[in-house]
């Protein structure tokens, strides 16, 4: 029976909940990821999946540092609402900013507004949270050479799905 090894593509259903139970995210049909230290899944969950077969269920509690990271106050900044001048801006909105050095898009979330001040947060929304990750291995296949080279899974046409 095929087991999960480095460079397996593993399809896993998953549930992410807060430790006290609230469901944060769930995928019953599962998602495929490239196994073997490519940072496509929480490392502690990946360690549990290593060597397992289809049908194996896993469950692991993750401290914030092992999940979405600790909240970093350096990633929070305060701006003047009038200088931002974005009509209708409200709590929870996501602002996109282009990083001039890397060309990547940075997301800032509006987490507080008071008078002319807006507090923007670049932390992952789930940063600082301990979570429980549980799931079931639904499929295992060998990765293609291109997938291994890129460090992520491709769709059936060997192209990028996202
Ligand atoms: Zn690729």
């Amino acid at each position: 029976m095929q087991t999960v090894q480095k460079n397996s593509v593993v399809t896993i259903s998953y549930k992410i909940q807060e430790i006290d139970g609230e469901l944060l995210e769930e995928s019953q049909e599962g998602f495929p990821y490239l196994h073997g230290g490519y940072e496509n899944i929480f490392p502690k969950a990946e360690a549990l999946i290593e060597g397992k077969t289809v049908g194996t269920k896993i469950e692991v509690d993750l401290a914030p540092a092992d999940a979405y990271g600790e909240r970093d106050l350096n990633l929070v900044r305060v701006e003047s609402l009038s200088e931002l001048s974005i009509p209708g801006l409200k709590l929870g909105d996501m602002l996109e900013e282009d990083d001039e050095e890397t060309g990547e898009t940075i997301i800032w979330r509006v987490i507080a507004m008071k008078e002319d001040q807006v507090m923007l947060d670049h932390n992952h929304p789930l940063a600082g949270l301990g979570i429980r990750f549980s799931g079931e291995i639904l499929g295992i296949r060998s990765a293609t050479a291109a997938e291994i080279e890129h460090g992520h899974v491709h769709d059936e046409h060997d192209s990028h799905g996202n």
Side-chain angles (χ1 to χ4, degrees), residues 11-137:
T11 299
I12 183 166
S13 66
Y14 70 92
K15 231 187 235 185
I16 295 173
Q17 335 169 228
E18 288 189 57
I19 302 285
D20 65 14
E22 192 194 334
L23 184 65
L24 301 168
E25 206 181 311
E26 179 176 29
S27 172
Q28 290 178 351
E29 69 276 19
F31 80 103
Y33 79 94
L34 180 59
H35 183 91
Y38 296 96
E39 298 182 2
N40 293 318
I41 187 171
F42 303 117
K44 289 201 167 172
E46 185 166 49
L48 282 178
I49 293 165
E50 175 85 18
K52 301 295 196 302
T53 54
V54 169
T56 303
K57 292 182 175 155
I58 63 152
E59 179 175 300
V60 61
D61 285 351
L62 302 171
D66 295 322
Y68 297 98
E70 303 283 359
R71 264 179 66 78
D72 182 352
L73 290 181
N74 291 317
L75 299 179
V76 175
R77 68 184 212 216
V78 175
E79 298 280 342
S80 149
L81 186 56
S82 45
E83 277 172 29
L84 278 178
S85 121
I86 301 170
L89 190 68
K90 60 187 186 307
L91 218 56
D93 280 358
M94 309 277 188
L95 304 183
E96 292 185 0
E97 180 182 58
D98 293 325
D99 187 322
E100 286 168 14
E101 282 175 25
T102 66
E104 283 176 34
T105 302
I106 306 175
I107 306 286
W108 294 90
R109 206 161 34 96
V110 178
I111 58 168
M113 298 179 79
K114 192 183 175 193
E115 292 160 8
D116 188 46
Q117 293 194 314
V118 184
M119 193 177 278
L120 300 174
D121 188 353
H122 178 52
N123 285 288
H124 190 284
L126 300 179
L129 265 191
I131 60 159
R132 175 166 297 158
F133 181 92
S134 56
E136 179 177 352
I137 299 174

Side-chain angles (χ1 to χ4, degrees), residues 150 152 154 160:
H150 289 195
H152 56 231
H154 294 165
H160 294 134

Side-chain angles (χ1 to χ4, degrees), residues 146-154 158-162:
E147 286 173 326
I148 293 167
E149 188 185 330
H150 289 195
H152 56 231
V153 171
H154 294 165
D158 204 25
S159 61
H160 294 134
N162 46 6

